[in-house]
Amino acid sequence: MSDPTSSATQFNAHADKYAASEVHRSGASLPVLLDFAAPGPNDDALDVATGTGNTALALAPHVARVTGLDLAEGMLEHARARASAEGQRNATFVVGSAEALPFPDASFTLVTSRHAPHHFHDLGRFLAEAHRVLTPGGRLVVADQISPTPELQPWIDMYQRRRDPSHVQQRTVAAWRDLAEGAGLRWAVQTVVPYRLDFAWWTAQSGTSLDAVQELRDSVATLTPAEQAAIGAEFGADGHLLAHVDQMMVVRLEKPAAGA
Ligand SMILES: C[S@@+](CC[C@H](N)C(=O)[O-])C[C@H]1O[C@@H](n2cnc3c(N)ncnc32)[C@H](O)[C@@H]1O
């Protein structure tokens, strides 16, 4: 039996919905990520956990080459079909793990990862791998959901995992920064982009069971008003949960140039 906590299991099962998701295709973190990445014609780019290729295919028209990597072959099939339909010939898609990138040292000038690192089992390992495959002076641009405070993180991780068993950890910005600097990356520029997520859409997207949907509703009801405000919980007139807000951190990290 397949492991429900594995990202490959989860995302292969729901690849069609992700391919059609406007939140992923064109959500507000994408233009910010592109702005921070400043992709150019000399860039050889790698998009880690590319899913259905939204970020890789947004980079493709600006760079020499882009490689999209993901654990889930079912997601990559959508990425390849879209690249072909759009006539983007400089984009290739390979199966692989963020924590063991199958590329030699200093292979890429730009690495990106969007809406995915909260699924990585070893974020420190991914950051070390991104540092290794980047050329000196290269940049890593990440967009990922964060927890507003360390105190709320255990609840948020429980909430996210009950909705999608492949969720691992949604860290604070400070925790991200410690790990990134520990991997030798310079924290260059950062912002936070709010994502209002409709509860019915959000749970349907990951195939959450009806029992789990009810548990999620009950769990939000147990939070204090301040905690509900911190996660942007919105309720209808009948008290039903309508939506919450994920805070998406977008950050550009830089590998110091040789001799710097
Ligand atoms: C929300 S989707 C990707 C979104 C995509 N980056 C975008 O911009 O639309 C998350 C992806 O992360 C992938 N993933 C999770 N853990 C991974 C890992 N350790 N290595 C590679 N891919 C991983 C999943 O298979 C899934 O396709």
Side-chain angles (χ1 to χ4, degrees), residues 43-75:
D43 275 319
D44 197 340
L46 170 67
D47 183 40
V48 177
T50 193
T52 54
N54 294 318
T55 306
L57 294 173
L59 288 169
H62 306 287
V63 298
R65 268 178 308 277
V66 59
T67 304
L69 171 137
D70 202 281
L71 283 177
E73 173 60 25
M75 298 287 271

PDB file of all heavy atoms in Angstrom, residues 43-75:
ATOM      1  N   ASP A  43      21.032  32.805 -17.550  1.00  0.00           N
ATOM      2  CA  ASP A  43      20.727  31.929 -16.416  1.00  0.00           C
ATOM      3  C   ASP A  43      20.449  30.498 -16.847  1.00  0.00           C
ATOM      4  O   ASP A  43      19.705  30.250 -17.808  1.00  0.00           O
ATOM      5  CB  ASP A  43      19.502  32.448 -15.643  1.00  0.00           C
ATOM      6  CG  ASP A  43      19.879  33.502 -14.613  1.00  0.00           C
ATOM      7  OD1 ASP A  43      20.915  33.313 -13.945  1.00  0.00           O
ATOM      8  OD2 ASP A  43      19.150  34.503 -14.500  1.00  0.00           O
ATOM      9  N   ASP A  44      21.027  29.573 -16.077  1.00  0.00           N
ATOM     10  CA  ASP A  44      20.673  28.159 -16.164  1.00  0.00           C
ATOM     11  C   ASP A  44      19.931  27.894 -14.855  1.00  0.00           C
ATOM     12  O   ASP A  44      20.531  27.946 -13.773  1.00  0.00           O
ATOM     13  CB  ASP A  44      21.956  27.322 -16.275  1.00  0.00           C
ATOM     14  CG  ASP A  44      21.653  25.920 -16.767  1.00  0.00           C
ATOM     15  OD1 ASP A  44      20.482  25.496 -16.661  1.00  0.00           O
ATOM     16  OD2 ASP A  44      22.577  25.251 -17.243  1.00  0.00           O
ATOM     17  N   ALA A  45      18.626  27.674 -14.940  1.00  0.00           N
ATOM     18  CA  ALA A  45      17.781  27.671 -13.737  1.00  0.00           C
ATOM     19  C   ALA A  45      17.305  26.261 -13.380  1.00  0.00           C
ATOM     20  O   ALA A  45      17.114  25.412 -14.257  1.00  0.00           O
ATOM     21  CB  ALA A  45      16.577  28.582 -13.953  1.00  0.00           C
ATOM     22  N   LEU A  46      17.107  26.061 -12.080  1.00  0.00           N
ATOM     23  CA  LEU A  46      16.540  24.813 -11.558  1.00  0.00           C
ATOM     24  C   LEU A  46      15.358  25.175 -10.680  1.00  0.00           C
ATOM     25  O   LEU A  46      15.491  25.999  -9.763  1.00  0.00           O
ATOM     26  CB  LEU A  46      17.586  24.080 -10.706  1.00  0.00           C
ATOM     27  CG  LEU A  46      17.060  22.882  -9.892  1.00  0.00           C
ATOM     28  CD1 LEU A  46      16.634  21.741 -10.826  1.00  0.00           C
ATOM     29  CD2 LEU A  46      18.143  22.389  -8.915  1.00  0.00           C
ATOM     30  N   ASP A  47      14.183  24.590 -10.954  1.00  0.00           N
ATOM     31  CA  ASP A  47      13.012  24.810 -10.108  1.00  0.00           C
ATOM     32  C   ASP A  47      12.744  23.511  -9.335  1.00  0.00           C
ATOM     33  O   ASP A  47      12.388  22.494  -9.927  1.00  0.00           O
ATOM     34  CB  ASP A  47      11.798  25.202 -10.962  1.00  0.00           C
ATOM     35  CG  ASP A  47      10.587  25.518 -10.092  1.00  0.00           C
ATOM     36  OD1 ASP A  47      10.768  26.156  -9.033  1.00  0.00           O
ATOM     37  OD2 ASP A  47       9.473  25.107 -10.459  1.00  0.00           O
ATOM     38  N   VAL A  48      12.922  23.582  -8.019  1.00  0.00           N
ATOM     39  CA  VAL A  48      12.827  22.382  -7.175  1.00  0.00           C
ATOM     40  C   VAL A  48      11.396  22.213  -6.663  1.00  0.00           C
ATOM     41  O   VAL A  48      10.792  23.171  -6.180  1.00  0.00           O
ATOM     42  CB  VAL A  48      13.813  22.500  -5.993  1.00  0.00           C
ATOM     43  CG1 VAL A  48      13.680  21.299  -5.058  1.00  0.00           C
ATOM     44  CG2 VAL A  48      15.245  22.616  -6.513  1.00  0.00           C
ATOM     45  N   ALA A  49      10.885  20.975  -6.773  1.00  0.00           N
ATOM     46  CA  ALA A  49       9.492  20.675  -6.429  1.00  0.00           C
ATOM     47  C   ALA A  49       8.584  21.505  -7.336  1.00  0.00           C
ATOM     48  O   ALA A  49       7.665  22.189  -6.901  1.00  0.00           O
ATOM     49  CB  ALA A  49       9.206  20.917  -4.943  1.00  0.00           C
ATOM     50  N   THR A  50       8.840  21.348  -8.624  1.00  0.00           N
ATOM     51  CA  THR A  50       8.188  22.169  -9.657  1.00  0.00           C
ATOM     52  C   THR A  50       6.715  21.815  -9.836  1.00  0.00           C
ATOM     53  O   THR A  50       5.950  22.600 -10.405  1.00  0.00           O
ATOM     54  CB  THR A  50       8.955  21.990 -10.989  1.00  0.00           C
ATOM     55  OG1 THR A  50       8.555  22.984 -11.911  1.00  0.00           O
ATOM     56  CG2 THR A  50       8.734  20.607 -11.612  1.00  0.00           C
ATOM     57  N   GLY A  51       6.291  20.631  -9.374  1.00  0.00           N
ATOM     58  CA  GLY A  51       4.889  20.231  -9.522  1.00  0.00           C
ATOM     59  C   GLY A  51       4.508  20.195 -10.989  1.00  0.00           C
ATOM     60  O   GLY A  51       5.156  19.537 -11.813  1.00  0.00           O
ATOM     61  N   THR A  52       3.453  20.918 -11.352  1.00  0.00           N
ATOM     62  CA  THR A  52       2.995  20.929 -12.742  1.00  0.00           C
ATOM     63  C   THR A  52       3.732  21.995 -13.565  1.00  0.00           C
ATOM     64  O   THR A  52       3.300  22.340 -14.667  1.00  0.00           O
ATOM     65  CB  THR A  52       1.473  21.155 -12.793  1.00  0.00           C
ATOM     66  OG1 THR A  52       1.167  22.341 -12.054  1.00  0.00           O
ATOM     67  CG2 THR A  52       0.721  19.984 -12.173  1.00  0.00           C
ATOM     68  N   GLY A  53       4.821  22.526 -13.029  1.00  0.00           N
ATOM     69  CA  GLY A  53       5.733  23.369 -13.808  1.00  0.00           C
ATOM     70  C   GLY A  53       5.402  24.845 -13.822  1.00  0.00           C
ATOM     71  O   GLY A  53       5.973  25.593 -14.633  1.00  0.00           O
ATOM     72  N   ASN A  54       4.545  25.307 -12.918  1.00  0.00           N
ATOM     73  CA  ASN A  54       4.128  26.723 -12.996  1.00  0.00           C
ATOM     74  C   ASN A  54       5.308  27.690 -12.914  1.00  0.00           C
ATOM     75  O   ASN A  54       5.380  28.656 -13.690  1.00  0.00           O
ATOM     76  CB  ASN A  54       3.140  27.041 -11.871  1.00  0.00           C
ATOM     77  CG  ASN A  54       1.846  26.277 -12.042  1.00  0.00           C
ATOM     78  OD1 ASN A  54       1.329  26.157 -13.149  1.00  0.00           O
ATOM     79  ND2 ASN A  54       1.319  25.738 -10.958  1.00  0.00           N
ATOM     80  N   THR A  55       6.206  27.454 -11.977  1.00  0.00           N
ATOM     81  CA  THR A  55       7.323  28.389 -11.792  1.00  0.00           C
ATOM     82  C   THR A  55       8.362  28.190 -12.895  1.00  0.00           C
ATOM     83  O   THR A  55       8.861  29.159 -13.477  1.00  0.00           O
ATOM     84  CB  THR A  55       7.930  28.202 -10.387  1.00  0.00           C
ATOM     85  OG1 THR A  55       6.863  28.325  -9.429  1.00  0.00           O
ATOM     86  CG2 THR A  55       8.985  29.236 -10.096  1.00  0.00           C
ATOM     87  N   ALA A  56       8.674  26.939 -13.203  1.00  0.00           N
ATOM     88  CA  ALA A  56       9.650  26.665 -14.265  1.00  0.00           C
ATOM     89  C   ALA A  56       9.200  27.285 -15.588  1.00  0.00           C
ATOM     90  O   ALA A  56      10.002  27.896 -16.313  1.00  0.00           O
ATOM     91  CB  ALA A  56       9.832  25.162 -14.430  1.00  0.00           C
ATOM     92  N   LEU A  57       7.910  27.170 -15.897  1.00  0.00           N
ATOM     93  CA  LEU A  57       7.428  27.670 -17.195  1.00  0.00           C
ATOM     94  C   LEU A  57       7.270  29.192 -17.189  1.00  0.00           C
ATOM     95  O   LEU A  57       7.280  29.814 -18.259  1.00  0.00           O
ATOM     96  CB  LEU A  57       6.127  26.961 -17.585  1.00  0.00           C
ATOM     97  CG  LEU A  57       6.345  25.455 -17.861  1.00  0.00           C
ATOM     98  CD1 LEU A  57       5.020  24.739 -18.089  1.00  0.00           C
ATOM     99  CD2 LEU A  57       7.287  25.238 -19.052  1.00  0.00           C
ATOM    100  N   ALA A  58       7.175  29.788 -16.000  1.00  0.00           N
ATOM    101  CA  ALA A  58       7.196  31.258 -15.930  1.00  0.00           C
ATOM    102  C   ALA A  58       8.627  31.769 -16.122  1.00  0.00           C
ATOM    103  O   ALA A  58       8.839  32.857 -16.665  1.00  0.00           O
ATOM    104  CB  ALA A  58       6.637  31.728 -14.586  1.00  0.00           C
ATOM    105  N   LEU A  59       9.611  30.970 -15.709  1.00  0.00           N
ATOM    106  CA  LEU A  59      11.021  31.362 -15.883  1.00  0.00           C
ATOM    107  C   LEU A  59      11.485  31.146 -17.325  1.00  0.00           C
ATOM    108  O   LEU A  59      12.319  31.897 -17.838  1.00  0.00           O
ATOM    109  CB  LEU A  59      11.916  30.520 -14.963  1.00  0.00           C
ATOM    110  CG  LEU A  59      11.850  30.810 -13.460  1.00  0.00           C
ATOM    111  CD1 LEU A  59      12.598  29.716 -12.682  1.00  0.00           C
ATOM    112  CD2 LEU A  59      12.453  32.180 -13.139  1.00  0.00           C
ATOM    113  N   ALA A  60      10.963  30.094 -17.972  1.00  0.00           N
ATOM    114  CA  ALA A  60      11.501  29.626 -19.256  1.00  0.00           C
ATOM    115  C   ALA A  60      11.713  30.715 -20.308  1.00  0.00           C
ATOM    116  O   ALA A  60      12.774  30.754 -20.948  1.00  0.00           O
ATOM    117  CB  ALA A  60      10.619  28.506 -19.810  1.00  0.00           C
ATOM    118  N   PRO A  61      10.751  31.647 -20.518  1.00  0.00           N
ATOM    119  CA  PRO A  61      10.971  32.635 -21.589  1.00  0.00           C
ATOM    120  C   PRO A  61      12.126  33.598 -21.299  1.00  0.00           C
ATOM    121  O   PRO A  61      12.605  34.274 -22.210  1.00  0.00           O
ATOM    122  CB  PRO A  61       9.644  33.427 -21.629  1.00  0.00           C
ATOM    123  CG  PRO A  61       8.662  32.595 -20.878  1.00  0.00           C
ATOM    124  CD  PRO A  61       9.438  31.782 -19.896  1.00  0.00           C
ATOM    125  N   HIS A  62      12.591  33.645 -20.036  1.00  0.00           N
ATOM    126  CA  HIS A  62      13.604  34.639 -19.653  1.00  0.00           C
ATOM    127  C   HIS A  62      15.010  34.073 -19.546  1.00  0.00           C
ATOM    128  O   HIS A  62      15.967  34.837 -19.438  1.00  0.00           O
ATOM    129  CB  HIS A  62      13.237  35.250 -18.287  1.00  0.00           C
ATOM    130  CG  HIS A  62      11.849  35.811 -18.244  1.00  0.00           C
ATOM    131  ND1 HIS A  62      11.503  36.979 -18.893  1.00  0.00           N
ATOM    132  CD2 HIS A  62      10.711  35.347 -17.664  1.00  0.00           C
ATOM    133  CE1 HIS A  62      10.214  37.215 -18.696  1.00  0.00           C
ATOM    134  NE2 HIS A  62       9.710  36.243 -17.962  1.00  0.00           N
ATOM    135  N   VAL A  63      15.143  32.735 -19.491  1.00  0.00           N
ATOM    136  CA  VAL A  63      16.443  32.130 -19.170  1.00  0.00           C
ATOM    137  C   VAL A  63      16.935  31.271 -20.334  1.00  0.00           C
ATOM    138  O   VAL A  63      16.181  30.959 -21.259  1.00  0.00           O
ATOM    139  CB  VAL A  63      16.346  31.267 -17.878  1.00  0.00           C
ATOM    140  CG1 VAL A  63      15.953  32.124 -16.689  1.00  0.00           C
ATOM    141  CG2 VAL A  63      15.360  30.095 -18.048  1.00  0.00           C
ATOM    142  N   ALA A  64      18.220  30.877 -20.252  1.00  0.00           N
ATOM    143  CA  ALA A  64      18.762  30.010 -21.306  1.00  0.00           C
ATOM    144  C   ALA A  64      18.117  28.632 -21.235  1.00  0.00           C
ATOM    145  O   ALA A  64      17.733  28.056 -22.259  1.00  0.00           O
ATOM    146  CB  ALA A  64      20.280  29.897 -21.130  1.00  0.00           C
ATOM    147  N   ARG A  65      18.049  28.101 -20.011  1.00  0.00           N
ATOM    148  CA  ARG A  65      17.498  26.755 -19.798  1.00  0.00           C
ATOM    149  C   ARG A  65      16.865  26.698 -18.425  1.00  0.00           C
ATOM    150  O   ARG A  65      17.353  27.372 -17.496  1.00  0.00           O
ATOM    151  CB  ARG A  65      18.622  25.707 -19.764  1.00  0.00           C
ATOM    152  CG  ARG A  65      18.977  25.059 -21.066  1.00  0.00           C
ATOM    153  CD  ARG A  65      20.138  24.074 -20.877  1.00  0.00           C
ATOM    154  NE  ARG A  65      21.277  24.695 -20.192  1.00  0.00           N
ATOM    155  CZ  ARG A  65      22.202  25.430 -20.800  1.00  0.00           C
ATOM    156  NH1 ARG A  65      22.144  25.627 -22.100  1.00  0.00           N
ATOM    157  NH2 ARG A  65      23.189  25.967 -20.108  1.00  0.00           N
ATOM    158  N   VAL A  66      15.842  25.866 -18.282  1.00  0.00           N
ATOM    159  CA  VAL A  66      15.298  25.617 -16.945  1.00  0.00           C
ATOM    160  C   VAL A  66      15.007  24.121 -16.801  1.00  0.00           C
ATOM    161  O   VAL A  66      14.500  23.487 -17.737  1.00  0.00           O
ATOM    162  CB  VAL A  66      14.057  26.493 -16.632  1.00  0.00           C
ATOM    163  CG1 VAL A  66      12.921  26.261 -17.617  1.00  0.00           C
ATOM    164  CG2 VAL A  66      13.564  26.263 -15.201  1.00  0.00           C
ATOM    165  N   THR A  67      15.376  23.600 -15.625  1.00  0.00           N
ATOM    166  CA  THR A  67      15.085  22.207 -15.296  1.00  0.00           C
ATOM    167  C   THR A  67      14.093  22.220 -14.144  1.00  0.00           C
ATOM    168  O   THR A  67      14.314  22.904 -13.140  1.00  0.00           O
ATOM    169  CB  THR A  67      16.373  21.477 -14.842  1.00  0.00           C
ATOM    170  OG1 THR A  67      17.347  21.606 -15.867  1.00  0.00           O
ATOM    171  CG2 THR A  67      16.099  19.995 -14.573  1.00  0.00           C
ATOM    172  N   GLY A  68      13.007  21.480 -14.282  1.00  0.00           N
ATOM    173  CA  GLY A  68      12.043  21.337 -13.186  1.00  0.00           C
ATOM    174  C   GLY A  68      12.211  19.954 -12.583  1.00  0.00           C
ATOM    175  O   GLY A  68      12.298  18.961 -13.321  1.00  0.00           O
ATOM    176  N   LEU A  69      12.307  19.892 -11.259  1.00  0.00           N
ATOM    177  CA  LEU A  69      12.518  18.609 -10.575  1.00  0.00           C
ATOM    178  C   LEU A  69      11.390  18.382  -9.582  1.00  0.00           C
ATOM    179  O   LEU A  69      10.950  19.318  -8.908  1.00  0.00           O
ATOM    180  CB  LEU A  69      13.868  18.655  -9.859  1.00  0.00           C
ATOM    181  CG  LEU A  69      14.183  17.492  -8.899  1.00  0.00           C
ATOM    182  CD1 LEU A  69      15.628  17.038  -9.090  1.00  0.00           C
ATOM    183  CD2 LEU A  69      13.951  17.895  -7.452  1.00  0.00           C
ATOM    184  N   ASP A  70      10.918  17.152  -9.498  1.00  0.00           N
ATOM    185  CA  ASP A  70       9.844  16.836  -8.540  1.00  0.00           C
ATOM    186  C   ASP A  70       9.871  15.338  -8.232  1.00  0.00           C
ATOM    187  O   ASP A  70      10.300  14.532  -9.056  1.00  0.00           O
ATOM    188  CB  ASP A  70       8.470  17.211  -9.133  1.00  0.00           C
ATOM    189  CG  ASP A  70       7.417  17.413  -8.054  1.00  0.00           C
ATOM    190  OD1 ASP A  70       6.875  16.416  -7.538  1.00  0.00           O
ATOM    191  OD2 ASP A  70       7.138  18.592  -7.707  1.00  0.00           O
ATOM    192  N   LEU A  71       9.353  14.996  -7.045  1.00  0.00           N
ATOM    193  CA  LEU A  71       9.225  13.582  -6.666  1.00  0.00           C
ATOM    194  C   LEU A  71       8.104  12.894  -7.430  1.00  0.00           C
ATOM    195  O   LEU A  71       8.128  11.667  -7.577  1.00  0.00           O
ATOM    196  CB  LEU A  71       8.868  13.472  -5.173  1.00  0.00           C
ATOM    197  CG  LEU A  71       9.943  13.669  -4.127  1.00  0.00           C
ATOM    198  CD1 LEU A  71       9.298  13.574  -2.736  1.00  0.00           C
ATOM    199  CD2 LEU A  71      11.045  12.626  -4.265  1.00  0.00           C
ATOM    200  N   ALA A  72       7.085  13.666  -7.873  1.00  0.00           N
ATOM    201  CA  ALA A  72       5.843  13.070  -8.382  1.00  0.00           C
ATOM    202  C   ALA A  72       5.801  13.105  -9.909  1.00  0.00           C
ATOM    203  O   ALA A  72       5.574  14.168 -10.518  1.00  0.00           O
ATOM    204  CB  ALA A  72       4.629  13.801  -7.796  1.00  0.00           C
ATOM    205  N   GLU A  73       5.989  11.934 -10.511  1.00  0.00           N
ATOM    206  CA  GLU A  73       5.969  11.836 -11.980  1.00  0.00           C
ATOM    207  C   GLU A  73       4.619  12.303 -12.546  1.00  0.00           C
ATOM    208  O   GLU A  73       4.556  12.909 -13.615  1.00  0.00           O
ATOM    209  CB  GLU A  73       6.265  10.378 -12.383  1.00  0.00           C
ATOM    210  CG  GLU A  73       6.134  10.061 -13.861  1.00  0.00           C
ATOM    211  CD  GLU A  73       7.061  10.859 -14.778  1.00  0.00           C
ATOM    212  OE1 GLU A  73       8.119  11.316 -14.323  1.00  0.00           O
ATOM    213  OE2 GLU A  73       6.689  11.028 -15.963  1.00  0.00           O
ATOM    214  N   GLY A  74       3.530  12.059 -11.810  1.00  0.00           N
ATOM    215  CA  GLY A  74       2.202  12.467 -12.294  1.00  0.00           C
ATOM    216  C   GLY A  74       2.096  13.980 -12.443  1.00  0.00           C
ATOM    217  O   GLY A  74       1.390  14.473 -13.343  1.00  0.00           O
ATOM    218  N   MET A  75       2.764  14.745 -11.574  1.00  0.00           N
ATOM    219  CA  MET A  75       2.781  16.201 -11.692  1.00  0.00           C
ATOM    220  C   MET A  75       3.643  16.604 -12.902  1.00  0.00           C
ATOM    221  O   MET A  75       3.274  17.488 -13.694  1.00  0.00           O
ATOM    222  CB  MET A  75       3.350  16.836 -10.412  1.00  0.00           C
ATOM    223  CG  MET A  75       2.544  16.566  -9.151  1.00  0.00           C
ATOM    224  SD  MET A  75       0.987  17.480  -9.038  1.00  0.00           S
ATOM    225  CE  MET A  75       1.504  18.991  -8.227  1.00  0.00           C
TER     226      MET A  75
END
